[in-house]
Amino acid sequence: MAKVLMKGNEALAEAAIMAGCKLFFGYPITPQNEIPEYLSRRLPQVDGGCYLQAESEVAAANMLYGAAGVGERVLTSSSGPGISLMSEGLSYIAGAQLPVVVVNMVRGGPGLGGILPAQSDYYQATRGLGHGDFRVLVLAPSTVQEAADLVMDAFDLADKYRSPVMVLGDGLIGQMMEPVEFKKKEKVELPPKTWAATGYKGDRERSIINSLYLDPLELEENSWRLKARYDAMGRDELRWELTNCEGDYDVLITAYGSTARICKTVIETLKKQGISVGLFRPITLFPYPYKQLRDAAQKAKTVFCVEMSTGQMLDDVKLALEGSRPTQFYGRTGGIIPTPDEIIGQIEKILKGEEVDKR
Amino acid sequence: MSKVVFKRPKALADVVTHYCPGCSHGIVHRIVAECIDELGIQERTVGVAPVGCSVLAYNYFNVDFFEASHGRAPAVATGAKRARPDLIVFAYQGDGDLASIGMAEIVHACNRGEKFTVIFINNTVYGMTGGQMAPTTMPGQVTTTSPYGRDVNQIGWPIRMCELLSSLKTDGFIARTSAHSPAEIIKTKKAIKKAFELQVANRCFTFVEVLSTCPTNWGMMPIQAQKRIEEELLPYYPLGVFKSPNGDASKS
Ligand SMILES: Cc1ncc(C[n+]2csc(CCOP(=O)(O)OP(=O)(O)O)c2C)c(N)n1
Ligand code: SF4
Ligand SMILES: [Mg+2]
């Protein structure tokens, strides 16, 4: 298929349709509105397709629960304040082991925050999406092409693990236009959805989509079942990218999503000055490629974490390093995007043995 | 030769429910199951249980089921029905679930004209959590969180869902019945059957409110509780069809 020039949000929406997504439930919020707008045009053209603007994100997440529970592929997208409202539904979805795909085009927070790009929902996505012992697989694209590719994979991963999968972008990825190619995916073998509530005909157990376990032993069992899936994801689904890590480097940058793009410019600029800096970019944020980061850090004296937050992924970086390397952190947030020059300035300090600017 | 004149509906599971003696939940479950049998829709019916005393309804019906979060059953039913319009979907909710925490979900489902059925059990209290005040609690009614009686100057008047929902322009079937006497139970069955028939015909949103007893949290014997519906609730919550798709709303 030829490349087309598309906004990140629209590319992601088209990719969802190509992945067999039949339904979308959501509520408008900047900076992801192009996703529901695009799907409100496209889904009615799809056989069995349904676009529905919900009355709230609370309702949207529960509509996802209903649609996923009857076995269909379903998507929602939102940004910080809306994702917070979806917490309830997502916890029930995780508890009931339903596959759904959720896009969060992150904007600055807390509260109403702002509408400009940020990475301040990292904790929420990787640790605190709702109550109870559950996690979701989190994929973080850094280009429009990657956003489209990851959305397609997200539906397969959700089905494979019977779990919500989140695509964590930010306003920059969503709004930016880039050429994108919708690659036809090879079909992944997935187990049939025998658990779906599609009507009881006596040829199987009744399907009950449920997260209630009044017997504590059964509830514990369910939590360990989920945990085993997260462990399997950690074994089989880790994704990361290394840039300029073949040679030697004193500083290894870690960054994800839009920030990683900016850091690639930093690396190119420094290369011209004869300074070699490596980049470790996690693509799965949960599960996090801890070992891969630790290995990449072996050649470095310092690991430098750059985020559009006050330092959230930094926790995972430290967990990965297990104290084996010192870390430095530089963050801009609230919708401020760090410039390559700004980051270069900080790296120069690190190379001189100084502390980076604290804010 | 003897003839079977009364038996368990196929759609009702052969299990002991946890409902208290004299509670209306069991009666309404049976009615729903009879309707499913009579319409021959068991194999394509999916229920949505609420959070409330009927949270375990999924154990009591021989159909596939969802257990929804508190108040969101209409959103869950929307997702299921939109994804699989060939299914017959019903949500079963209490008054705290539907008229308090789930107010937005029920109003919007009704306004969108979602083609599923809602069975609304109004027993004027939060049964499951121990008898707290609900949005439907009667003026002066003593509950565990209105120990001096519901004060309408502080908390407003009980919400009449049928009246509220039937004010929406979208087509729908909206009726209030009661489970307090055999005659009213028969009318309840008629209304619920009508609601399912309309759904089978893919006509409109269908909603049946059933005035129900909660002897346990009312502190009454079952007979007394039935009398309370007749004497206290009926004057405030009139029975009847508030809206029907062809527009011939009639109050009985
Ligand atoms: C989000 C949330 N808030 C509160 C509760 C606690 N809770 C469980 S049942 C219930 C009230 C149910 O009352 P009603 O809907 O009237 O049903 P009934 O038990 O009377 O049939 C409440 C408040 C909950 N489960 N979830
Ligand atoms: S507490 Fe009330 S509503 Fe709940 S089962 Fe008992 S009588 Fe029924
Ligand atoms: Mg109640």
Side-chain angles (χ1 to χ4, degrees):
Chain A
M1 230 171 146
K3 286 197 173 189
V4 281
L5 191 65
M6 267 178 122
K7 254 193 183 186
N9 281 334
E10 295 188 339
L12 192 153
E14 183 59 35
I17 289 178
M18 288 196 63
C21 172
K22 286 278 163 66
L23 300 103
F24 178 93
F25 303 100
Y27 188 85
I29 186 168
T30 307
Q32 59 78 55
N33 288 323
E34 293 82 2
I35 297 174
E37 284 166 2
Y38 186 89
L39 290 173
S40 68
R41 274 199 310 278
R42 280 287 281 121
L43 273 173
Q45 301 166 347
V46 172
D47 187 32
C50 168
Y51 166 85
L52 185 66
Q53 183 165 317
E55 58 270 33
S56 69
E57 290 88 347
V58 173
N62 285 284
M63 290 171 184
L64 248 63
Y65 182 81
V70 299
E72 295 297 328
R73 284 194 161 181
V74 56
L75 173 76
T76 189
S77 71
S78 190
S79 190
I83 299 288
S84 292
L85 281 190
M86 289 184 187
S87 271
E88 176 198 68
L90 291 173
S91 174
Y92 278 72
I93 287 167
Q97 309 174 60
L98 296 181
V100 302
V101 177
V102 180
V103 173
N104 182 2
M105 286 297 175
V106 183
R107 57 190 249 172
L112 198 48
I115 58 168
L116 296 173
Q119 294 182 317
S120 44
D121 294 354
Y122 183 94
Y123 281 153
Q124 184 193 41
T126 61
R127 284 148 168 83
L129 205 46
H131 63 281
D133 262 328
F134 86 96
R135 314 292 283 266
V136 303
L137 203 153
V138 184
L139 301 166
S142 79
T143 64
V144 171
Q145 180 67 58
E146 194 178 28
D149 294 346
L150 289 181
V151 163
M152 290 199 205
D153 291 347
F155 281 97
D156 287 341
L157 290 167
D159 280 349
K160 179 172 174 190
Y161 292 99
R162 291 183 61 185
S163 165
V165 173
M166 177 175 275
V167 176
L168 191 74
D170 58 58
L172 204 64
I173 300 282
Q175 299 299 321
M176 168 168 74
M177 281 186 105
E178 273 185 332
V180 56
E181 185 188 353
F182 295 101
K183 300 167 202 156
K184 239 195 142 44
K185 268 190 67 140
E186 48 189 290
K187 208 157 164 49
V188 178
E189 248 349 284
L190 291 165
K193 296 181 175 179
T194 49
W195 45 263
T198 51
Y200 173 60
K201 297 171 187 67
D203 53 352
R204 55 155 166 80
E205 293 278 288
R206 284 195 304 121
S207 289
I208 299 170
I209 307 298
N210 183 28
S211 63
L212 175 67
Y213 295 92
L214 289 173
D215 177 347
L217 285 174
E218 281 182 28
L219 179 56
E220 185 185 40
E221 183 69 25
N222 191 47
S223 296
W224 285 114
R225 181 163 49 227
L226 297 182
K227 172 73 166 76
R229 294 212 185 123
Y230 307 144
D231 290 346
M233 290 174 192
R235 246 187 350 260
D236 301 334
E237 309 301 343
L238 292 176
R239 298 180 191 206
W240 69 95
E241 183 193 57
L242 295 168
T243 304
N244 204 34
C245 287
E246 309 78 36
D248 288 329
Y249 42 86
D250 284 342
V251 175
L252 177 71
I253 303 176
T254 62
Y256 71 96
S258 292
T259 310
R261 280 175 84 102
I262 300 163
C263 291
K264 284 184 184 173
T265 307
V266 166
I267 287 170
E268 286 311 306
T269 310
L270 286 176
K271 238 189 211 166
K272 287 182 197 133
Q273 299 171 21
I275 302 168
S276 185
V277 168
L279 170 68
F280 181 87
R281 177 174 75 92
I283 299 169
T284 49
L285 301 183
F286 180 82
Y288 197 88
Y290 289 117
K291 184 183 174 298
Q292 291 72 15
L293 171 55
R294 190 161 58 246
D295 290 349
Q298 277 187 358
K299 286 195 252 172
K301 293 201 178 82
T302 302
V303 174
F304 179 36
C305 182
V306 186
E307 293 178 59
M308 292 195 289
S309 79
T310 55
Q312 299 192 14
M313 184 178 78
L314 180 61
D315 285 3
D316 278 327
V317 172
K318 287 179 177 171
L319 283 171
L321 296 174
E322 294 178 330
S324 62
R325 290 291 179 281
T327 55
Q328 296 246 33
F329 173 77
Y330 185 72
R332 297 301 305 265
T333 190
I336 308 278
I337 301 166
T339 63
D341 282 351
E342 212 176 329
I343 297 170
I344 288 169
Q346 304 307 320
I347 291 173
E348 282 165 353
K349 288 190 180 191
I350 295 171
L351 291 172
K352 279 190 254 168
E354 295 171 10
E355 290 278 306
V356 301
D357 293 338
K358 274 297 161 265
R359 64 138 294 154
Chain B
M1 226 185 70
S2 59
K3 192 169 138 236
V4 179
V5 292
F6 190 81
K7 63 177 187 344
R8 181 179 289 279
K10 258 177 31 209
L12 199 63
D14 190 5
V15 293
V16 176
T17 74
H18 69 284
Y19 298 122
C20 307
C23 173
S24 305
H25 275 304
I27 296 171
V28 181
H29 278 26
R30 184 182 166 99
I31 290 175
V32 170
E34 285 178 358
C35 292
I36 292 171
D37 278 14
E38 288 165 22
L39 294 170
I41 52 175
Q42 184 185 4
E43 295 192 351
R44 58 182 181 119
T45 295
V46 174
V48 184
V51 176
C53 274
S54 46
V55 65
L56 295 176
Y58 56 77
N59 285 332
Y60 304 151
F61 289 93
N62 272 327
V63 300
D64 281 355
F65 242 86
F66 282 86
E67 200 297 299
S69 56
H70 196 20
R72 320 292 178 222
V76 174
T78 296
K81 185 80 183 183
R82 293 274 180 153
R84 287 287 307 272
D86 54 317
L87 295 176
I88 299 299
V89 178
F90 76 94
Y92 186 103
Q93 300 182 262
D95 47 322
D97 193 78
L98 183 140
S100 189
I101 195 167
M103 182 59 106
E105 284 73 21
I106 189 65
V107 169
H108 285 276
C110 175
N111 194 54
R112 286 191 302 265
E114 296 294 344
K115 292 184 181 60
F116 55 75
T117 299
V118 178
I119 309 295
F120 171 39
I121 302 298
N122 180 1
N123 58 13
T124 77
V125 280
Y126 283 32
M128 189 195 209
T129 37
Q132 294 84 3
M133 187 181 65
T136 43
T137 294
M138 292 299 287
Q141 185 180 333
V142 171
T143 71
T144 57
T145 52
S146 56
Y148 308 112
R150 179 183 181 131
D151 179 354
V152 294
N153 293 317
Q154 293 288 330
I155 207 78
W157 287 80
I159 297 177
R160 293 190 270 224
M161 286 308 301
C162 285
E163 287 82 339
L164 193 153
L165 294 177
S166 58
S167 73
L168 300 170
K169 176 136 178 51
T170 311
D171 229 5
F173 174 74
I174 293 168
R176 183 184 290 122
T177 65
S178 174
H180 76 273
S181 70
E184 295 305 327
I185 288 169
I186 289 169
K187 287 190 199 158
T188 298
K189 162 101 186 260
K190 267 196 183 142
I192 290 178
K193 180 100 178 263
K194 172 93 180 160
F196 275 101
E197 281 168 353
L198 286 166
Q199 183 180 174
V200 169
N202 205 30
R203 277 298 292 278
C204 59
F205 176 76
T206 51
F207 181 91
V208 181
E209 170 174 353
V210 185
L211 297 181
S212 299
T213 52
C214 175
T216 303
N217 288 299
W218 294 359
M220 292 177 178
M221 297 303 282
I223 302 281
Q224 242 183 317
Q226 290 169 352
K227 243 182 132 70
R228 176 183 179 238
I229 292 190
E230 190 168 2
E231 290 169 3
E232 280 183 52
L233 302 196
L234 289 189
Y236 188 80
Y237 292 114
L239 306 182
V241 176
F242 288 78
K243 192 175 191 173
S244 40
N246 49 20
D248 62 353
S250 62
K251 287 182 194 178
S252 67

